[in-house]
């Protein structure tokens, strides 16, 4: 037990902000490259009330990621106070090991669901109602796809746990978390700003991107989840 606590302390001793940001960059990229939220946003951007709905979706997406990340950071810090530094950091390593296994399961499931050659991929039911969505529903949809979606939730929890366990100052923790959220949201913020500036000229490129993402969604997610899952399991193995 003492050796494991020492290992956890060595892994999560005080680190520079850029080092911690580098550690959570894979999780941020994994969230950013979520095909279905991007496809949903594109459908929203091609609908009648595109500008207002897409902005509300973006705000909801940011809110979902922010709430989950800061709750996890607060819980890890509370655990550090109650259980002590070594116990808290050991708990984070166990959490990363379990999250890594869960991501490998999701990777396998996504790979099995990928469309066969010549097969038309099926769109989720919620995408069929995007054209008629109201701003309030677009906001809720953004929150659900970023904060409640199982894959994004697991990646967000893993990253927030890493940030909290790095024992940064309160200001540094907030800054790294905010940068992580912004990187995780670049594929949502980018298209929204693009349409706000380019208007109707953006439609063709967005439509082509939608078709490509829909066709390759399962394969993209399987590879991403496999890579990040292996990384988290490797981090968690520092326990042994």
């Amino acid at each position: 037990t003492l050796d494991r606590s020492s290992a956890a302390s060595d892994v999560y001793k005080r680190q520079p902000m850029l080092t911690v940001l580098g550690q959570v960059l894979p999780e941020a990229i994994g969230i950013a490259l979520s095909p279905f939220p991007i496809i949903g946003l594109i459908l929203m951007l091609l609908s009648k009330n595109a500008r207002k709905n897409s902005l509300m979706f973006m705000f909801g997406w940011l809110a979902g990621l922010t709430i989950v990340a800061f709750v996890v950071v607060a819980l890890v810090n509370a655990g550090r106070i109650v259980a002590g530094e070594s116990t808290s950091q050991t708990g984070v390593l166990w959490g990363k090991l379990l999250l890594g296994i869960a991501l490998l399961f999701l990777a396998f499931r996504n790979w099995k669901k990928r469309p066969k050659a010549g097969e038309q991929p099926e769109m989720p039911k919620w995408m069929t109602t995007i054209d008629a969505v109201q701003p309030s529903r677009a906001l809720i949809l953004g929150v659900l796809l970023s904060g409640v979606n199982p894959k994004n939730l697991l990646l967000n929890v893993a990253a927030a746990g890493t940030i909290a366990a790095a024992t940064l100052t309160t200001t540094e923790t907030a800054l790294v978390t905010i940068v992580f959220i912004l990187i995780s949201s670049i594929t949502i913020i980018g298209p929204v700003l693009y349409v706000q500036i380019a208007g109707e000229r953006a439609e063709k490129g967005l439509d082509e991107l939608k078709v490509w993402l829909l066709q390759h969604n399962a394969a993209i997610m399987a590879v991403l989840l496999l890579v990040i899952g292996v990384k988290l399991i490797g981090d968690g193995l520092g326990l042994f």
Side-chain angles (χ1 to χ4, degrees), residues 12-78:
Y12 287 109
K13 62 184 178 181
R14 186 172 178 79
Q15 298 167 320
M17 283 195 299
L18 287 178
T19 300
V20 179
L21 186 59
Q23 290 174 348
V24 299
L25 195 57
E27 287 91 333
I29 298 301
I31 295 173
L33 295 181
S34 302
F36 275 153
I38 299 172
I39 294 168
L41 175 62
I42 290 172
L43 292 172
M44 208 172 285
L45 289 170
L46 297 174
S47 65
K48 295 177 182 178
N49 200 14
R51 296 195 175 191
K52 191 170 185 179
N53 283 345
S54 62
L55 281 172
M56 295 302 286
F57 180 88
M58 181 182 73
F59 293 145
W61 175 274
L62 290 168
L65 289 178
T66 301
I67 291 168
V68 170
F70 278 97
V71 166
V72 172
V73 169
L75 289 175
V76 172
N77 285 330

Side-chain angles (χ1 to χ4, degrees), residues 28-220:
I29 298 301
I31 295 173
L33 295 181
S34 302
F36 275 153
I38 299 172
I39 294 168
L41 175 62
I42 290 172
L43 292 172
M44 208 172 285
L45 289 170
L46 297 174
S47 65
K48 295 177 182 178
N49 200 14
R51 296 195 175 191
K52 191 170 185 179
N53 283 345
S54 62
L55 281 172
M56 295 302 286
F57 180 88
M58 181 182 73
F59 293 145
W61 175 274
L62 290 168
L65 289 178
T66 301
I67 291 168
V68 170
F70 278 97
V71 166
V72 172
V73 169
L75 289 175
V76 172
N77 285 330
R80 181 181 291 121
I81 294 171
V82 173
E85 185 73 31
S86 295
T87 302
S88 174
Q89 291 173 346
T90 300
V92 169
L93 288 174
W94 271 113
K96 295 184 84 163
L97 184 60
L98 295 175
L99 288 171
I101 294 170
L103 288 177
L104 290 186
F105 169 75
L106 289 177
F108 175 75
R109 194 177 70 171
N110 273 272
W111 185 255
K112 293 287 288 184
K113 286 167 58 179
R114 75 191 189 283
K116 304 296 185 290
E119 185 180 18
Q120 191 68 21
E122 185 179 350
M123 290 177 62
K125 291 182 180 179
W126 61 267
M127 285 189 185
T128 61
T129 62
I130 288 289
D131 286 342
V133 74
Q134 297 298 314
S136 58
R137 190 172 170 219
L139 178 71
I140 294 170
L141 189 59
V143 172
L144 293 176
L145 288 175
S146 66
V148 181
N149 175 283
K151 186 269 297 180
N152 286 347
L153 179 62
L154 291 175
L155 292 176
N156 200 356
V157 168
T162 298
I163 293 169
T167 62
L168 301 168
T169 66
T170 301
T171 301
E172 288 172 339
T173 297
L175 286 174
V176 172
T177 305
I178 290 169
V179 173
F180 164 76
I181 291 168
L182 289 176
I183 294 173
S184 302
S185 307
I186 194 168
T187 51
I188 301 298
I189 297 172
V192 171
L193 295 181
Y194 178 45
V195 169
Q196 298 293 324
I197 296 168
E200 294 182 358
R201 291 175 296 166
E203 289 186 8
K204 183 180 178 183
L206 289 174
D207 193 53
E208 291 174 353
L209 178 61
K210 177 198 72 177
V211 172
W212 188 87
L213 286 172
L214 192 58
Q215 183 65 40
H216 300 286
N217 161 66
I220 293 170

